[in-house]
Amino acid sequence: QVQVVESGGGLVQSGGSLRLSCTVSRGTIVFEGMGWYRQAPGKQRELVARISVGDITNYADSVKGRFAISRVNAKNTVYLQMNSLKPEDTAVYYCNALTLSWPWGKGTLVTVSS
């Protein structure tokens, strides 16, 4: 079964940066549009960044201009570079195929202090 593992989260001050990684095993991302999602306490999971098979990217308005998604197919890995972080970015971050056809990973916690 496909396994998704997210990493790179942590505690950072407002204005700081983090780079998240998502590695997929027992599967391939080559033919998949991929997305980074986040779930803040008490809120629903939301899609914040997406990248198509052809590397076209789209972002939620809340992160546009601050986050950048990228992919390295040869490594089966998707990245999320997060800059100018704000306290409202605090959440558990997950990645998945845009079809949501894979099991969710455990996510990686990002905490932004003010």
Side-chain angles (χ1 to χ4, degrees):
Q1 190 176 16
V2 173
Q3 185 176 18
V4 178
V5 178
E6 302 93 348
S7 62
L11 174 63
V12 63
Q13 289 188 332
S14 182
S17 298
L18 284 174
R19 188 192 194 205
L20 307 185
S21 298
C22 164
T23 300
V24 176
S25 60
R26 294 192 286 275
T28 178
I29 69 170
V30 171
F31 305 111
E32 301 285 350
M34 296 294 297
W36 277 98
Y37 305 76
R38 70 184 181 188
Q39 187 167 18
K43 295 188 176 181
Q44 288 189 330
R45 193 171 300 182
E46 61 172 343
L47 177 64
V48 296
R50 58 190 292 169
I51 184 166
S52 73
V53 170
D55 288 346
I56 296 172
T57 58
N58 294 94
Y59 301 92
D61 288 344
S62 58
V63 307
K64 200 171 293 184
R66 301 187 297 120
F67 288 13
I69 186 171
S70 60
R71 61 193 294 160
V72 178
N73 290 340
K75 294 184 177 182
N76 249 8
T77 299
V78 182
Y79 301 98
L80 186 68
Q81 177 66 43
M82 306 188 297
N83 300 323
S84 302
L85 282 161
K86 305 175 181 180
E88 50 264 44
D89 294 319
T90 294
V92 179
Y93 284 72
Y94 305 85
C95 78
N96 208 325
L98 294 177
T99 55
L100 301 183
S101 55
W102 296 337
W104 290 100
K106 294 182 179 180
T108 186
L109 176 62
V110 172
T111 304
V112 184
S113 63
S114 57

